[in-house]
Amino acid sequence: MSSDIKEIPTKPFDGQKPGTSGLRKRVKVFEQEHYTENFVQAILDSIPAQGGAKGATLVVGGDGRYFSVPAIQIILRIAAGNGVSKLIIGHQGILSTPAASNIIRKYKATGGILLTASHNPGGPNADFGIKYNVQNGGPAPENVTNSIYGRTKSITSYKVLDAPPVDLSKIGDQTYGPLKVTIIDSVADYVELLRSIFDFGLIKSFLHSTPSFKVLFDGLHGVTGPYAKAILLGELGLPRDSIQNFEPSPNFGGGHPDPNLTYAHSLVEVVEKNNIQFGAASDGDGDRNMIYGKGAFVTPSDSVAIIADWADSIPYFKGGVKGLARSMPTSAAIDYVAEAKGYEVFEVPTGWKFFGNLMDAGRLSICGEESFGTGSDHIREKDGIWAVIAWLNIIAAANQTNKGWGINEILLDHYQKYGRSFFSRYDYEEVSSEGAQALIDNLDKLFADPSFISSSYNAKSVSESFTVAKVTNFTYTDPIDNSVSKNQGHILQFTDGSRVVFRLSGTGSQGATVRFYIERYSKDPAQYERPTAEGLKGLIEVALAITKLPEFLGRSEPTVITVSGVLSSRLVCHLCANPIYPQ
Ligand code: VG1
Ligand code: CO
């Protein structure tokens, strides 16, 4: 067989540096001759720390976006060429990111190659992505991604098995030259996992005894449709109209599979029109979630805090919660829960890979990111469907004592117990890299100026004033392996406890994207039902003026505003600018 293995000469490509979550580029870039091959070879060359590519077992699958199948055939050829012993591949190449994480762990694989650009649009003119996950099922940590990047810069050849493509539609075992290939059902293992985590019986009896409580899950034509179908319809016995847009499509039906108020418009519309108490959506690869009911929206920062607070209603956490965590820009809502319950709480940089070590060390059970990512140590990725079922489990548990409780009642109850963190994020997408860098350089300059601390600024449109308390360029030292990650975002803290954060996105495929996060905490009950935009107006105005962001980026408005934490009586759709509720 070895005579069929060929070494193909190649040259390095620029910019094959994995970002926050893998390498994401336009499909056209991945389609260039040798481009995908180089990156896959670099991944395999970086496995040695875990025992080497030779003899490795790798899980392969993704969100089914355009170019997935050709990419899997490339991985097959290169894996066989490099002596990998086994590939476990999702049926037709489909595995949601959380399902892949589970499979890596369950079958004790060496790692996995995930083919996704998450919520970025798909299709021949849109995005593709490749991400390497390690043995614990989580995204490769920085030492591994740095090694992959290093290899891409010096690569001179890659090895392939010269053989015809593998049939990805046949579940079961096949051989491919020296390689064993197992095509597995994309959904079954994941359903079994969730069955072991949640109280399906309780959720089912609540849903069936409360027919007025309607549920709608929107797969946004991403990968989660089949998973939602198996769980919501198959396990929980919900009617067929409880799911929509559940057929995965290579270009996500032409949409932008990102579960937020801007892009999950299809969900918002039906929820409002049909008075649906519990709506939810997930992103292209199934790791993000949005919880949205009629007139009710949960910010991801609040969502993770609420799940942590209600953890004892979820069987998986019956043995106790080991600790909590959030990414740095995520609001401190979860910190208040940790404080009240005496749990350890960690603040890590943006990106799920930073939670893995804490979970492996048994110090972290529940964590989240403001970017619609929520999860726990049942796997090593954020998990969209998990979060949705967690909410259903919590609502079912709440209704045992408080009949009629839905999303808003749980949210308000939470604010009353812990106070409210107003939170919003402004994204300035695809701005010039020079402008973004100038903004960051200016922040560095400001932060280095001692007279900046204690300076006060008045908002113009509201009578509020903010005094600078502390400035930080966030550095994280991993408490488990002591690795240090620098330059993870500029934090500007004010004396009233509010703060703003600026950082550059690491997932874009073109230009630069600046994220501006705004947070203000209140324990005043009069503020609990106030619209977020109103609660944050003065702070946003002051932060933009201090940092001169609009000047540096040449943008007076952000591309996307994530309005968060609105008890949504006055929500406005960012796509069509119409009021969402009341209509
Ligand atoms: C964004 C989010 C981050 C998330 C990452 C991957 O990264 O802000 O919280 O972990 O996407 O999520 P960035 O660097 O663009 O801010 V996913 O669902 O796109 O894999
Ligand atoms: Co995603």
Side-chain angles (χ1 to χ4, degrees):
M1 210 61 215
S2 61
S3 63
D4 295 332
I5 293 179
K6 298 201 159 49
E7 190 153 349
I8 314 282
T10 186
K11 285 200 188 92
F13 286 88
D14 279 343
Q16 291 197 321
K17 185 173 168 53
T20 312
S21 192
L23 181 69
R24 290 184 192 175
K25 301 279 177 198
R26 293 282 192 248
V27 165
K28 296 268 184 275
V29 174
F30 278 100
E31 280 176 334
Q32 296 171 84
E33 195 181 5
H34 308 309
Y35 188 92
T36 301
E37 288 85 348
N38 278 13
F39 192 66
V40 172
Q41 180 69 53
I43 289 176
L44 297 188
D45 289 345
S46 303
I47 292 180
Q50 301 169 59
K54 236 187 189 59
T57 295
L58 298 175
V59 172
V60 179
D63 56 18
R65 67 178 56 229
Y66 185 87
F67 195 61
S68 292
V69 172
I72 291 174
Q73 299 296 350
I74 290 173
I75 292 168
L76 274 155
R77 285 155 56 82
I78 297 185
N82 282 270
V84 169
S85 90
K86 185 172 180 184
L87 290 189
I88 303 175
I89 307 179
H91 184 227
Q92 304 283 25
I94 296 279
L95 284 179
S96 76
T97 291
S101 182
N102 177 44
I103 286 165
I104 295 170
R105 296 169 66 74
K106 183 167 172 181
Y107 297 105
K108 304 203 169 8
T110 314
I113 302 179
L114 278 59
L115 306 164
T116 172
S118 189
H119 54 282
N120 296 18
N125 298 312
D127 287 355
F128 190 71
I130 301 183
K131 181 165 82 157
Y132 183 62
N133 279 28
V134 293
Q135 210 160 19
N136 72 354
E142 281 184 331
N143 62 330
V144 178
T145 54
N146 287 341
S147 147
I148 295 173
Y149 181 46
R151 284 296 302 152
T152 68
K153 291 194 287 192
S154 60
I155 191 164
T156 54
S157 68
Y158 56 84
K159 287 197 204 111
V160 294
L161 173 77
D162 200 8
V166 168
D167 181 358
L168 301 177
S169 70
K170 263 198 346 222
I171 291 194
D173 296 337
Q174 312 174 28
T175 53
Y176 185 68
L179 184 63
K180 285 195 215 94
V181 176
T182 304
I183 310 284
I184 56 165
D185 183 288
S186 311
V187 175
D189 292 296
Y190 183 77
V191 174
E192 189 187 302
L193 174 71
L194 289 210
R195 212 187 280 131
S196 74
I197 292 174
F198 296 110
D199 193 339
F200 277 8
L202 174 73
I203 303 173
K204 217 166 151 173
S205 79
F206 163 69
L207 292 172
H208 290 262
S209 63
T210 325
S212 60
F213 187 89
K214 282 191 276 178
V215 172
L216 177 64
F217 177 84
D218 194 326
L220 302 178
H221 297 290
V223 76
T224 49
Y227 298 86
K229 193 171 166 191
I231 292 168
L232 295 177
L233 273 50
E235 298 286 323
L236 301 175
L238 283 168
R240 157 67 190 80
D241 63 359
S242 304
I243 53 174
Q244 69 178 19
N245 300 326
F246 58 88
E247 304 282 3
S249 117
N251 71 346
F252 308 111
H256 193 141
D258 198 359
N260 59 39
L261 294 171
T262 302
Y263 296 122
H265 198 246
S266 53
L267 173 79
V268 169
E269 227 172 59
V270 182
V271 159
E272 292 301 334
K273 194 167 113 224
N274 297 347
N275 286 318
I276 290 171
Q277 284 85 341
F278 188 87
S282 191
D283 68 336
D285 65 325
D287 55 359
R288 298 187 176 204
N289 75 92
M290 176 171 81
I291 307 295
Y292 178 87
K294 171 84 183 178
F297 172 64
V298 188
T299 131
S301 297
D302 285 344
S303 177
V304 68
I306 289 168
I307 293 173
D309 194 35
W310 284 83
D312 55 6
S313 71
I314 296 172
Y316 180 84
F317 300 114
K318 284 270 153 56
V321 168
K322 294 167 192 148
L324 305 176
R326 61 173 168 82
S327 67
M328 180 274 280
T330 303
S331 97
I334 194 169
D335 300 23
Y336 299 106
V337 176
E339 196 186 349
K341 301 204 175 226
Y343 301 144
E344 229 184 337
V345 62
F346 301 91
E347 184 183 42
V348 310
T350 294
W352 209 260
K353 56 181 174 246
F354 294 104
F355 294 124
N357 276 350
L358 293 165
M359 289 180 176
D360 291 349
R363 286 172 71 179
L364 172 57
S365 294
I366 299 171
C367 54
E369 295 192 274
E370 48 65 44
S371 54
F372 296 84
T374 324
S376 90
D377 63 350
H378 65 292
I379 52 170
R380 295 294 181 272
E381 290 276 4
K382 54 191 188 272
D383 190 344
I385 302 248
W386 175 92
V388 173
I389 308 298
W391 264 88
L392 285 177
N393 197 142
I394 289 167
I395 292 174
N399 272 270
Q400 289 183 306
T401 41
N402 301 293
K403 289 269 172 268
W405 271 32
I407 296 173
N408 269 348
E409 288 71 21
I410 290 177
L411 205 52
L412 258 185
D413 175 65
H414 192 84
Y415 292 166
Q416 268 141 17
K417 274 204 310 230
Y418 296 105
R420 173 176 176 187
S421 297
F422 286 93
F423 183 85
S424 188
R425 185 176 101 182
Y426 281 24
D427 293 329
Y428 300 80
E429 293 175 341
E430 298 190 2
V431 296
S432 81
S433 302
E434 296 73 32
Q437 198 47 53
L439 170 77
I440 300 296
D441 292 346
N442 186 53
L443 284 169
D444 279 335
K445 219 171 86 196
L446 266 178
F447 283 18
D449 175 2
S451 71
F452 186 48
I453 306 292
S454 304
S455 54
S456 292
Y457 300 86
N458 295 324
K460 288 208 176 77
S461 66
V462 281
S463 66
E464 287 173 9
S465 139
F466 297 89
T467 304
V468 178
K470 197 176 162 205
V471 290
T472 329
N473 182 347
F474 185 58
T475 295
Y476 178 66
T477 305
D478 186 298
I480 311 302
D481 66 13
N482 294 318
S483 58
V484 176
S485 305
K486 291 187 177 155
N487 288 320
Q488 297 296 323
H490 286 74
I491 311 172
L492 181 42
Q493 189 105 33
F494 296 94
T495 49
D496 68 344
S498 52
R499 67 167 194 170
V500 293
V501 175
F502 298 86
R503 60 176 281 281
L504 295 180
S505 154
T507 56
S509 56
Q510 207 125 298
T513 289
V514 172
R515 306 205 193 282
F516 164 37
Y517 310 79
I518 312 103
E519 177 181 356
R520 215 187 110 212
Y521 177 72
S522 171
K523 266 216 106 162
D524 169 11
Q527 303 269 332
Y528 295 167
E529 294 190 57
R530 216 174 152 204
T532 301
E534 211 179 285
L536 295 177
K537 198 165 182 220
L539 182 58
I540 291 172
E541 230 179 77
V542 162
L544 292 177
I546 297 179
T547 60
K548 303 198 181 72
L549 177 144
E551 287 91 318
F552 283 114
L553 302 186
R555 295 270 179 94
S556 55
E557 296 294 331
T559 331
V560 176
I561 299 178
T562 308
V563 177
S564 296
V566 186
L567 286 171
S568 0
S569 52
R570 286 156 295 253
L571 271 187
V572 170
C573 169
H574 294 300
L575 209 62
C576 61
N578 290 327
I580 290 170
Y581 174 82
Q583 290 184 316

